[in-house]
Amino acid sequence: MKTNRFLLAIGVLAMSFSGLNAQKIKGSDTVLPLSQKEAEAYGKKGGKVSVTGGGSGVGIAALMDGSTDIAQSSRKIKFTEKTKMSEAGKQVREVIVAYDAIAVVVNPNNKVSQLSRAQLEGIFTGKIKNWKEVGGDDMKIIVYSRETSSGTYEFFKESVLKNKNYASSVLSMPATGAIIQSVKQTKGAIGYVGLAYLNKEVKALKVSYNGKTYVKPSVANAKNKTYPVVRPLYYYYELKKEKQVKPYINFVLSSDGQNIVQNVGYIPVK
């Protein structure tokens, strides 16, 4: 009888531990590959985490309605979102888990290898429409961007476009992978992606904010602060769920977790 009670108690403890570690993460497609690798490594230690994308805005909305435990975001939570959380009686905590460089990418056959911030602004706002205007071939520029729910869309608009509006002709893509695919297939295309998504199917451009020094996107150049388009990546969670999410977040911020950050292609916080 005592043995049965002991086994029952152990079973209850095991269930409690499992529940404590089971979490849902949702949001930014930029943070998605990082969270997937972190969740995989954390799973080997006995934790349970499910990860889905959809965009930073989608993740924060899910945190608001309680359908996710952690919102992954490639932008800071907006004042309006924070206000809604507060009005709903929810206190939100912010954690920076990594840093990311935004790479501007073109088709590999494009002879243009560098652009200034002003030229990028011109292209994405529709003032520059042909590659010959920036030293390229006489070819129409096809501009790809993330959709408005994306944190990368917001950051690129703020940092590169100086909060000017994207041109109405810009083609919105639902995910970063779709931008890579579109730029790969379209000779006159240009788009932007998180550093971890870079591959040989597209060409990353050197970028300059002062029109003089052009720097290619890389982990090293983001770390030494010579590459100008760098932003933090965030996790947001409700304060009342801190006990539940803290073991996973502590793992992400640990030396093992930050090694994963670097291996995925982002910049560690430490």
Side-chain angles (χ1 to χ4, degrees), residues 50-204:
S50 65
V51 185
T52 53
S56 299
V58 170
I60 290 169
L63 187 66
M64 208 175 295
D65 68 26
S67 60
T68 194
D69 301 305
I70 298 173
Q72 55 190 14
S73 181
S74 59
R75 61 157 172 87
K76 203 168 182 67
I77 190 170
K78 294 178 183 177
F79 177 75
T80 52
E81 293 166 334
K82 207 167 184 178
T83 301
K84 282 182 184 176
M85 293 275 196
S86 183
E87 287 171 352
K90 297 184 176 185
Q91 286 183 280
V92 179
R93 280 279 167 88
E94 172 187 286
V95 180
I96 295 174
V97 293
Y99 288 88
D100 175 35
I102 303 295
V104 178
V105 294
V106 296
N107 185 277
N109 293 318
N110 194 325
K111 72 179 187 182
V112 172
S113 61
Q114 62 185 41
L115 289 171
S116 68
R117 188 210 61 77
Q119 287 173 322
L120 287 170
E121 180 188 307
I123 288 169
F124 280 85
T125 58
K127 289 178 182 175
I128 297 174
K129 300 178 186 295
N130 194 297
W131 283 108
K132 69 180 179 182
E133 297 177 65
V134 290
D137 294 331
D138 184 2
M139 177 172 55
K140 183 183 176 184
I141 300 175
I142 311 295
V143 184
Y144 289 96
S145 168
R146 286 298 314 279
E147 56 194 4
T148 56
S149 65
S150 160
T152 310
Y153 168 99
E154 296 270 3
F155 178 79
F156 195 83
K157 180 180 179 180
E158 180 186 321
S159 179
V160 179
L161 307 188
K162 299 301 176 189
N163 284 316
K164 293 181 177 68
N165 290 327
Y166 289 85
S168 57
S169 58
V170 169
L171 301 168
S172 295
M173 296 287 107
T176 303
I179 289 182
I180 293 283
Q181 195 65 19
S182 300
V183 172
K184 168 194 167 187
Q185 293 172 349
T186 311
K187 193 176 178 184
I190 187 171
Y192 54 84
V193 300
L195 196 59
Y197 282 87
L198 273 187
N199 59 34
K200 292 178 182 178
E201 296 178 331
V202 293
K203 182 170 83 172

Side-chain angles (χ1 to χ4, degrees), residues 21 23 25 34-49 70 95-97 235 242-261 263-264 268-270:
N21 285 274
Q23 294 139 54
I25 302 176
L34 172 60
S35 291
Q36 285 172 330
K37 290 291 184 185
E38 297 284 6
E40 187 182 324
Y42 186 63
K44 290 174 183 175
K45 295 179 179 291
K48 293 182 180 178
V49 179
I70 298 173
V95 180
I96 295 174
V97 293
Y235 278 165
E242 190 159 55
K243 269 191 181 179
Q244 181 181 333
V245 303
K246 205 68 172 161
Y248 169 74
I249 289 175
N250 285 343
F251 171 75
V252 174
L253 295 174
S254 71
S255 56
D256 286 347
Q258 290 297 294
N259 281 339
I260 292 169
V261 168
N263 291 339
V264 169
V269 294
K270 298 174 183 178

